[in-house]
Amino acid sequence: MELRQIEFFLQLYKDRNITVASQNLYISQQGMSKSIANLEKEVGFPLFKRSVSGVKPTAEAGELYSYFRTVMKSYAGLQKKVNDIEMRKNGVLSIVWPEFFALSCEKEEYATFSGQNRISLPSQSTAPEESLASLQERLFACGKFLFTKETLDK
């Protein structure tokens, strides 16, 4: 059983239509059908009843649904934790803000705007204390953030 199969199962369970589910995942209908068929073969029972109007989850699919959702949520949590560890290891400070803030302040000399309402400030460029102080000063000048010692220590 692969994560991709679980992802396909969850999308098909939600959409109840192979065409719609495959379009939502940007894959071919054949790829979706084959993956679901392989999953059904692996578990040993049908997960969907197929008809011309779409698919209907079987009772067994209903029983597995919450487990599959838990697996995908756990995997997303794992990816986030790995990313957090990597950012800490590389000494990068990320700050998230509303889109209007990204457009209201110049920050090129202090950080790189990634287009996702974030800036990343590599601490290797100067001493971390200087970088943080410089960033604080700039953000305070824009009047958008309130930093406390606890916030900066995290």
Side-chain angles (χ1 to χ4, degrees):
M1 198 174 303
E2 298 175 11
L3 284 173
R4 194 82 169 136
Q5 288 175 307
I6 294 171
E7 179 184 16
F8 292 175
F9 169 88
L10 292 172
Q11 191 68 48
L12 185 56
Y13 191 95
K14 176 184 166 209
D15 293 332
R16 312 285 167 112
N17 184 292
I18 291 176
T19 302
V20 173
S22 61
Q23 287 172 347
N24 286 334
L25 292 173
Y26 303 102
I27 62 165
S28 69
Q29 281 182 265
Q30 294 83 1
M32 170 71 77
S33 294
K34 186 175 181 179
S35 181
I36 294 298
N38 288 339
L39 181 60
E40 289 175 327
K41 188 176 178 182
E42 192 171 338
V43 298
F45 48 82
L47 296 169
F48 297 95
K49 292 179 183 173
R50 290 142 176 93
S51 71
V52 290
S53 61
V55 297
K56 182 179 177 188
T58 62
E60 293 82 5
E63 290 180 50
L64 294 177
Y65 179 78
S66 64
Y67 290 99
F68 283 160
R69 281 193 50 147
T70 300
V71 167
M72 292 307 287
K73 285 181 182 180
S74 293
Y75 183 70
L78 173 63
Q79 287 179 310
K80 182 181 180 331
K81 181 50 98 177
V82 167
N83 188 44
D84 291 347
I85 291 169
E86 182 182 350
M87 289 180 72
R88 240 189 358 249
K89 181 180 174 196
N90 293 330
V92 174
L93 169 67
S94 290
I95 299 174
V96 181
W97 61 67
E99 187 174 327
F100 66 85
F101 175 73
L103 302 173
S104 67
C105 291
E106 295 176 34
K107 62 207 159 305
E108 287 78 13
E109 66 268 33
Y110 298 100
T112 303
F113 177 63
S114 71
Q116 299 175 354
N117 301 344
R118 294 177 183 266
I119 58 172
S120 295
L121 181 68
S123 60
Q124 293 89 349
S125 60
T126 61
E129 298 80 25
E130 291 175 29
S131 298
L132 210 45
S134 176
L135 182 61
Q136 273 184 285
E137 234 174 76
R138 183 73 177 135
L139 293 173
F140 279 134
C142 292
K144 304 292 182 187
F145 284 100
L146 174 63
F147 285 94
T148 64
K149 182 170 178 7
E150 295 79 29
T151 305
L152 297 174
D153 288 341
K154 289 185 180 178

